[in-house]
Structure formats: structure tokens, C-alpha cells
Amino acid sequence: MKSILFSAVSVLGLASISAPVALAQEAGDEPAVQNTITVTLQKREQDLQDVPVAVTALDAQFLDDLGLDEFDAVARFVPGFEVQEQSPNNPGFVIRGITSDSGEATIEPRIAVFQDGVSISRSRGSIVELFDMERIEVAKGPQPTLFGRGALIGGVNIIQAKPEFEFGGSVEAGIGNFGEEYFGGHVTGPVFGDVVAFRLAARSRKRDGYVESLNPNEEDFNSQDMQAVRASIAVEPSEDLRLDLIVNYQQDNPSGTSFKSRRYAPLPGESVDAGDPANLNSFGNFLGGKKLGLEREVLSTTLLGRWDISDALTLNSITGARSFESLEVFDPDGFGLPLLIFAEDAEGDQFSQEFRLNYDGGGRVRGFAGVSYTNEDGRQNVPLTYDERALQAFLGGLIRPPNAPAVTTLPSINLNPLAGGLALKPIHNEFFANSGKTESYDVFADASVDVTDRLEVTAGVRFTQEEKTTGIEVGNLNGPSNLTFGGVFATAATPVAPNANGRARLTSSDEFDGTTWRVAALYELTSEWNLFGNIARGRRPEVITASTTNAARRFTTLPAEEVDSYEVGAKGVTLGGQLALDASVFFYDYTNFQSSVVNANGQIVPVNAGNATSSGLETQAVWSPTEAATFVASYGYNKARFEDEVDGRPQQFGGNRLRLSPDHTASLAAVFTKDVGIGELRVIPSVVWQSEVYFDNTQRALLSEDAYDLFNLTAELTLQNGLAVEGYVTNLFDENYLIDAGNTGDAFGIPTFIAGPPRFYGVRVKKDF
């Protein structure tokens, strides 16, 4: 099938937008192309034009042009893709209205995130620094044979730059407001002739918090403190064999997230706006004196192997070992009283192995088949400390911040007559923990056939068998609570009474299997336009969850969530190759939609929310009218809603929008290039916009954000000696907006709000060598 090559957007891809899509063509010739972008989404190298899937590919140049080095920034230029990042430990990935953000070890992600072929989908370890990239691919819709069982509604494929056999590198440094300090770079080259090569890349990023702390014992909130390093070695003993060993390490130590109350002022006369100063605290003795903030480490080792057995057959091997540890301490009540202090202590270990055999003999049939094995073991522990006196006084309406009397001045609440006159404790410690272990085996195959010279049909299937073990544990670390209403977690998480040590634990195991599939077609309408369509089924595995009420049935199983997807689209070029366009429409039908609610004890409880649908359209364009100007635009509409009823029974969230899913999103960017004598000047303005969004499935106006737009500006001067100086501003007009609302405090009737970043600006200097 004939390919149309161009530098374009979305299904077309986002390559370097600094050059026109095509050169001027002579009469009777096809467009001559300046740039192209190649992807490996279908497990083989293809021009993005020829992939019958809604996918956006962003190459290294585009990422650098717009300064897109974090997931939330990348998502603003990919319609249908949203990323909410409370902290590196607490992200939410959203594709076409469907969110994957659960931190529980027992729940599978909906969106697969892969780093060089290895799943990093578990949310507490999925945020990685996007540096020294080759490209990022975002595929929308179920991708079971391409990304595995975790790709219920899509996948994100991160391809890191690999070692090269020619010496080269770069170094970059910068400073900015809020005390920003930035450093990064890479070096690559041969180690042993043309057989062994290496690559070493690193980045360090620090920035003070943008929400001021009114508590002198806590740092300003929402800071950055990240260091990441990657070392890789490539071995090519022959043209037919290559091995790549890649080791990634990242640590994050930002200050606490500002969960700000809008109901209670942090101090007398202070504002309740989420972006204004906050008064939060960690009690000073929580978890051995830990302050609010995050301590997180992620380590992964990947071994990639490719053996060209013959001209038609290639054997690929992907081996991955990965682990993460994170401890995040946060104040969920949003004000300064010593009321509640939570933490999340999460860890995970994972090993995976995939073997895949690709066939492409140059004829009408090509495809792949393979097997994979994954063993994942994770745990999430949620300790809680509170002052029993303050909590009972607050819930009883006796004290209200910020002018709250000390609990010691309220002797009537310091004894609990229902607990035999026991004194309420100034410090009470509880915890709730969940653990999950999954061992899965997959068999998959995918094949494409050129039915005619213009029509290609693709079909794939994946069978998964897995064994899951779920554990749940609660406990009172210093004895039962003396509160009138009992503890917050106490034994509410399980009907089993705690043992003599104040702990209760339950486990359950089960086996599940499921089949997912896809069928797609690509039709070459003309030499410049392709049409595509696909139908697919995605599946999110069953969830074993502990019952909070039924002592006879201690565990229940939520059925597997399934989605049937339907999509058609077109992509091509016009105006002599100057304008690249793509558009698609889609419809998703969900059954047994797995959601979660926060119960009265502050626990996140999985629930079957019934059925939901999502329908919409997406369109993008790249226009290069001259060599000096290129414009990139995108628009997405997505109507994601819970159905009103199922089998005549009203649903819990019937008719509501799905959380974190605006109906409308749009972006516009431009690159203007001019030779200024001493070098090349490039000016890159951009704007992103989204409509109203709800942060909770209950669709409460309180937990929502109105439509907003963000303007960014970058200017870069590249001197003739190769030295580049760049100045940037993000959120140019200092827009106030929320990135989340509700949170843990909502379970106690005190919802909290997290402000988005304000205006950031800085300057960076970069040199390639």
C-alpha cells in the first residue's frame, strides 16, 4: 500500500513543526516531503499514516519545541488525553473520558503505560520524567493485542533514545522563578568499535512550592525536587542481532500537596482560594517526625532483544524488572487544626517477559504472535493519626477553624462516658492496608492482510489467564479508639474483629480468564488520503474486594469491566502538501463499569457503577504555508456519561458525566522561524483550552472547575556555533484554576481543593556536541 509521508498531527503524528509539511511540488508529481514520522505501535516500523488506529505520535523535536517534558503538558496537545498530577505519586490518566488513577494494589489500571515495551501502568510508579526521548505514542481505544490486558481504553508508549555508534551528546542548564534550578544532558557513543555502544542521560529539576505555607514547620507546598538518570548499553554483534540493556532510576522528594479547604480560612483574615497561602500540618510526630511531602524511588531494568532469523522472521524479547517505593504524607482536612493526618505508603515489584515472533515476507500478509508472563506484587498501606479530642469536638460542632479554642479548654469532651469514662487520646494511630498479587499468562496474535492494493484488513486476539490474591488489613496501633463513634478505620473495613494486637487481616484468591480482540481496516482513497475504521473489545480484569458489612461473605468479586469500541476516521494532506488533516468519530459502550466511592470511614471502596457510554469526535491539523511558519491545531469533543438505568434499575451515578472528562478540549500552537544574522530565532506561542470538568462522579458543582485556557510562550535563539538560548513562560496570564477537588477530606464533609501551577518563567542554555 502506498504511503503518504509528512510531518503531521494525531493519527498523522507530531513531528518537527519547525518546517513545512511538504516542499513545493512540480506539476504531475506527488508531494515531496521534508519530514516523516515512524512508529512501532503495531509491533513493526510503519509510517503513522498507515496505522488504522487513532494514535498521536510526538517526536523528540516536537517535545523540545514546545517544552513538553511532563505528562500533563504532553496531554494538552493530544485531544482525548488528559493527565491530572496531584504529585508524582498520585497521577490520573484519562483517555476519552475514562480515568485510570487508583493507587490500590488490588485494582488493575485501565490505561496501559509502557516504557520501551515494559508496562509501568501501576499508578504510583507510572509518572516518569520524559527526558532524552525518541518519541511518545498515545493510542486511543482498546488495544488488547498491542498493549495487553491493561489497555482497556488506550495506551501510552514511551520510547527512550537508544545508544548510537557515533559520539555525540548535549548539555542543558537553566534557572527560573520560584527558585527553579534545571540541569540535563546526555552522551552517547561507541565502546567497542561498531559492536558495543553506550548512552548516559540525566536530568535534575528543582523548584520551590507555589502555594505558600503559613506553618513555619512546613515547606511551601507543591514544589518540585526530581533527579533521574538512565544508563543503557547496546550490543550489535551482527546486523541480525541487537541487545539493549536499559537501567532507569528516578527519585522524587517534593514538598506536600496543598489540600486547601474553601470552607475554613487557614488563619484569620487569610483567603480560602486554593492558590493562596495554606496552613497545613503533620503533627510533628507522624511516622517518626515525617513532614508533609513525598519520598519516592523508581528503579527499572529492561533488556530488549531483536534477532532477524531470516528476511521474513524476527524474534523479539522484552524482559523487565521494576520496583517502586513511595511514602506520601498529607493533611486531608485543609486547615491548621491538629485534626487528621494521613499517609500513603506504597510499594510494588514486577517482573515480566515477552517473546514475540514477527513475520513480514514483503507480500500481502504480515503480523506477529507471542506469549508473555507477568508477576506483580504490590501493597498500599494508609496510616492515619488524629487527635481524638479535636476530632470529636470538630464533628460535634464545638470548634471551628481558624479561631478554634484549644481542645484542653473543653473538658466536657475529654472524657467519653460511652467508653467507661476513658480519656480521649491526644494521639491516636490507625491504619488500613491492601495488597495484591497477580500472576498472568497471555497468548496473542495479530495479522494484517492486503485484500487489494488499496485495502488492508487487520485482526488480532489476546487470551489472558491470571491468578489474583487480595489481602486487606486494618488495625489500631495504640489500642482501640475512645471516641464516641469509634475509630475512623477501626474494624469498619472488615467484619472480623481485630486480634489482641489490634489488627485484623483477611486474604482471598481466585483465578480468572478473558479474551479481547480487535478488527481494523485501512483504505487508500487516493494517493493523499486514507480512511480507517476499527472495532475492538477491551477488558479490565475482575476485582476481589473485601466486604465492609457482610461477615458471612468476607470477599466479593466485581465482574470484569468490558467495553466495545467503534471508530472511523480519515487522514491525509491537501494544498499541495502544505496542510495535513485528520479526523475521527467514535463510540464506546461499557458494561460493569468499575468505579470507587469514599465511604464514611475515609476508605476508597471499589463499586460496580453499572453501564456507561462515551461518544465524540477528534480532529487535528498541521498547516505550513511557508518555510518560516507552521501552525498546529486540535479539537476534541467527548460526551462520556453513565447510563440512567440498567435493566430498569436506576444507577448510582445515572446520567452524570464521568470524572476528569471535559466535553471539549482544544489547542493551538505555532512556530515562527527567522534568520537574524547571528543565528536562527524561533518563537513558539501556544494556547490550550478545556471546558468545564467535574472531579467526582457525583457531578456536584462544588467539585468542578469552569472552562479555562492557558497561554505559553517560548523563544529560542540558536547561534551559528550551535549554542542555544531559550526563554519560556508557561501560564502566561497567571490563570487561576483547579487540578482537583474533593479528595479524602470529602469523606468527612470537608472537601479540599488543589490549585494548578501559576505563571512560571525561566531561561535555559543548551549546547549539542
Side-chain angles (χ1 to χ4, degrees):
M1 180 171 293
K2 187 181 296 181
S3 298
I4 304 171
L5 308 183
F6 41 73
S7 169
V9 203
S10 186
V11 188
L12 311 178
L14 284 170
S16 171
I17 63 175
S18 61
V21 174
L23 299 176
Q25 62 183 102
E26 297 180 2
D29 293 338
E30 295 184 2
V33 176
Q34 184 134 341
N35 292 304
T36 185
I37 187 166
T38 301
V39 297
T40 54
L41 184 74
Q42 296 194 121
K43 310 303 181 184
R44 64 183 186 271
E45 290 189 353
Q46 291 179 281
D47 299 324
L48 197 52
Q49 167 92 3
D50 296 332
V51 180
V53 174
V55 55
T56 299
L58 301 87
D59 73 355
Q61 184 63 58
F62 184 83
L63 295 170
D64 184 64
D65 283 343
L66 271 73
L68 308 181
D69 53 11
E70 295 181 272
F71 275 111
D72 55 351
V74 167
R76 294 189 177 111
F77 290 89
V78 182
F81 184 41
E82 302 278 333
V83 177
Q84 178 213 60
E85 190 177 329
Q86 289 188 3
S87 75
N89 192 54
N90 201 350
F93 289 86
V94 187
I95 289 183
R96 289 179 172 173
I98 306 303
T99 303
S100 182
D101 64 350
S102 174
E104 293 189 68
T106 59
I107 299 178
E108 298 286 347
R110 282 192 179 95
I111 295 170
V113 183
F114 276 77
Q115 186 179 54
D116 288 323
V118 176
S119 175
I120 61 170
S121 306
R122 186 61 63 185
S123 69
R124 287 351 182 206
S126 60
I127 287 292
V128 293
E129 188 73 5
L130 304 178
F131 69 106
D132 195 31
M133 292 285 107
E134 181 178 320
R135 68 182 179 278
I136 298 172
E137 302 169 354
V138 181
K140 287 161 277 190
Q143 308 296 337
T145 54
L146 304 182
F147 286 95
R149 62 195 179 92
L152 171 90
I153 196 56
V156 181
N157 196 19
I158 303 167
I159 299 99
Q160 303 176 121
K162 304 300 188 297
E164 301 173 9
F165 287 89
E166 292 185 8
F167 182 78
S170 67
V171 62
E172 185 176 11
I175 57 174
N177 65 335
F178 290 93
E180 182 193 23
E181 299 175 5
Y182 177 94
F183 175 80
H186 82 278
V187 60
T188 186
V191 175
F192 183 73
D194 57 358
V195 176
V196 181
F198 80 100
R199 193 179 190 102
L200 181 65
R203 176 177 288 175
S204 174
R205 185 200 304 270
K206 293 184 178 181
R207 190 192 295 272
D208 296 338
Y210 59 80
V211 175
E212 179 186 349
S213 174
L214 297 172
N215 184 343
N217 295 318
E218 303 288 349
E219 297 179 34
D220 290 342
F221 304 108
N222 299 27
S223 71
Q224 282 189 330
D225 187 353
M226 184 285 308
Q227 292 79 42
V229 62
R230 180 189 316 126
S232 52
I233 294 177
V235 180
E236 275 194 27
S238 69
E239 292 183 355
D240 300 331
L241 180 64
R242 173 162 173 146
L243 299 174
D244 283 275
L245 178 64
I246 309 164
V247 179
N248 281 277
Y249 173 78
Q250 179 171 330
Q251 66 174 17
D252 296 273
N253 296 282
S255 59
T257 300
S258 176
F259 293 98
K260 181 81 175 290
S261 172
R262 278 182 173 175
R263 182 179 300 178
Y264 306 114
L267 287 176
E270 293 286 347
S271 168
V272 297
D273 186 87
D276 287 336
N279 186 21
L280 307 178
N281 68 83
S282 56
F283 281 24
N285 58 359
F286 186 58
L287 295 176
K290 295 287 185 182
K291 292 187 176 183
L292 301 178
L294 170 65
E295 299 175 1
R296 173 179 176 263
E297 292 186 331
V298 181
L299 175 65
S300 66
T301 302
T302 302
L303 178 62
L304 306 177
R306 189 208 74 237
W307 176 30
D308 295 329
I309 302 172
S310 67
D311 291 341
L313 289 175
T314 301
L315 179 63
N316 296 274
S317 173
I318 304 173
T319 308
R322 179 176 172 83
S323 65
F324 71 86
E325 295 182 355
S326 64
L327 174 63
E328 186 165 17
V329 181
F330 59 98
D331 183 354
D333 51 53
F335 47 76
L337 288 182
L339 203 61
L340 299 169
I341 182 69
F342 276 85
E344 182 187 20
D345 187 2
E347 59 183 32
D349 293 288
Q350 173 187 308
F351 174 80
S352 61
Q353 174 64 57
E354 177 181 299
F355 292 106
R356 185 181 74 253
L357 186 65
N358 281 57
Y359 170 79
D360 189 349
R364 291 185 175 274
V365 179
R366 58 205 157 272
F368 59 85
V371 296
S372 65
Y373 168 78
T374 301
N375 190 313
E376 184 181 26
D377 196 352
R379 177 178 172 83
Q380 180 197 47
N381 182 33
V382 183
L384 161 67
T385 286
Y386 55 89
D387 185 322
E388 291 184 351
R389 303 164 305 173
L391 186 57
Q392 179 138 303
F394 177 80
L395 296 179
L398 299 177
I399 59 175
R400 285 290 181 265
N403 296 309
V407 291
T408 54
T409 66
L410 302 171
S412 60
I413 70 163
N414 291 331
L415 295 177
N416 184 351
L418 297 181
L422 295 176
L424 297 181
K425 304 171 186 175
I427 295 294
H428 178 83
N429 297 302
E430 298 181 11
F431 77 93
F432 166 76
N434 62 81
S435 59
K437 184 173 183 179
T438 299
E439 191 171 29
S440 69
Y441 301 85
D442 290 62
V443 180
F444 55 92
D446 197 276
S448 299
V449 180
D450 291 339
V451 180
T452 71
D453 289 342
R454 291 179 176 269
L455 176 63
E456 177 192 75
V457 175
T458 300
V461 64
R462 177 181 290 261
F463 175 76
T464 301
Q465 184 176 54
E466 56 195 359
E467 180 177 342
K468 288 177 172 290
T469 299
T470 290
I472 188 170
E473 185 176 4
V474 294
N476 299 311
L477 299 182
N478 57 345
S481 172
N482 294 333
L483 291 172
T484 300
F485 57 86
V488 174
F489 293 152
T491 59
T494 169
V496 178
N499 58 25
N501 296 322
R503 296 172 178 261
R505 178 171 172 80
L506 294 172
T507 60
S508 179
S509 298
D510 207 344
E511 294 184 358
F512 308 100
D513 59 61
T515 301
T516 51
W517 49 267
R518 73 166 183 143
V519 178
L522 185 77
Y523 181 73
E524 182 186 354
L525 185 64
T526 71
S527 62
E528 295 181 338
W529 284 92
N530 284 350
L531 304 178
F532 75 94
N534 56 68
I535 303 173
R537 171 165 291 179
R539 176 179 177 271
R540 190 189 200 191
E542 292 84 350
V543 177
I544 303 174
T545 181
S547 170
T548 61
T549 57
N550 191 341
R553 189 178 181 186
R554 296 173 181 175
F555 283 91
T556 58
T557 299
L558 294 183
E561 177 183 321
E562 291 187 342
V563 58
D564 289 329
S565 163
Y566 310 87
E567 182 162 10
V568 294
K571 45 190 173 178
V573 294
T574 187
L575 299 181
Q578 291 182 353
L579 178 61
L581 298 168
D582 79 78
S584 64
V585 294
F586 58 87
F587 175 76
Y588 299 147
D589 188 11
Y590 295 87
T591 57
N592 299 319
F593 191 91
Q594 297 172 4
S595 186
S596 59
V597 296
V598 182
N599 67 16
N601 301 298
Q603 297 165 248
I604 300 175
V605 182
V607 296
N608 184 347
N611 296 348
T613 60
S614 175
S615 58
L617 65 90
E618 295 170 357
T619 181
Q620 300 186 73
V622 174
W623 180 41
S624 296
T626 71
E627 293 188 8
T630 297
F631 302 89
V632 180
S634 70
Y635 168 74
Y637 169 73
N638 179 35
K639 183 181 179 182
R641 303 289 191 271
F642 288 101
E643 292 187 4
D644 290 326
E645 59 182 35
V646 177
D647 298 329
R649 300 188 306 273
Q651 293 198 112
Q652 181 177 4
F653 304 121
N656 290 357
R657 298 186 191 183
L658 274 63
R659 59 186 291 262
L660 299 179
S661 178
D663 282 355
H664 305 271
T665 59
S667 66
L668 177 64
V671 174
F672 301 104
T673 305
K674 183 175 178 58
D675 188 338
V676 292
I678 60 173
E680 182 182 77
L681 176 65
R682 303 171 69 226
V683 179
I684 308 170
S686 64
V687 58
V688 293
W689 172 85
Q690 69 172 45
S691 62
E692 180 185 37
V693 64
Y694 289 90
F695 298 110
D696 188 87
N697 289 333
T698 59
Q699 195 170 310
R700 285 174 286 166
L702 175 67
L703 306 183
S704 68
E705 178 58 280
D706 294 335
Y708 65 88
D709 47 45
L710 302 175
F711 288 81
N712 305 314
L713 179 63
T714 298
E716 181 181 76
L717 177 63
T718 303
L719 303 177
Q720 293 177 350
N721 63 4
L723 181 69
V725 181
E726 175 189 274
Y728 74 91
V729 183
T730 61
N731 192 0
L732 178 64
F733 299 111
D734 207 19
E735 176 79 11
N736 292 320
Y737 65 101
L738 297 175
I739 60 173
D740 204 8
N743 304 301
T744 304
D746 195 35
F748 302 94
I750 41 178
T752 55
F753 303 81
I754 303 174
R759 177 170 51 234
F760 289 148
Y761 55 85
V763 61
R764 293 176 184 173
V765 178
K766 181 178 180 179
K767 182 70 168 69
D768 294 330
F769 57 85

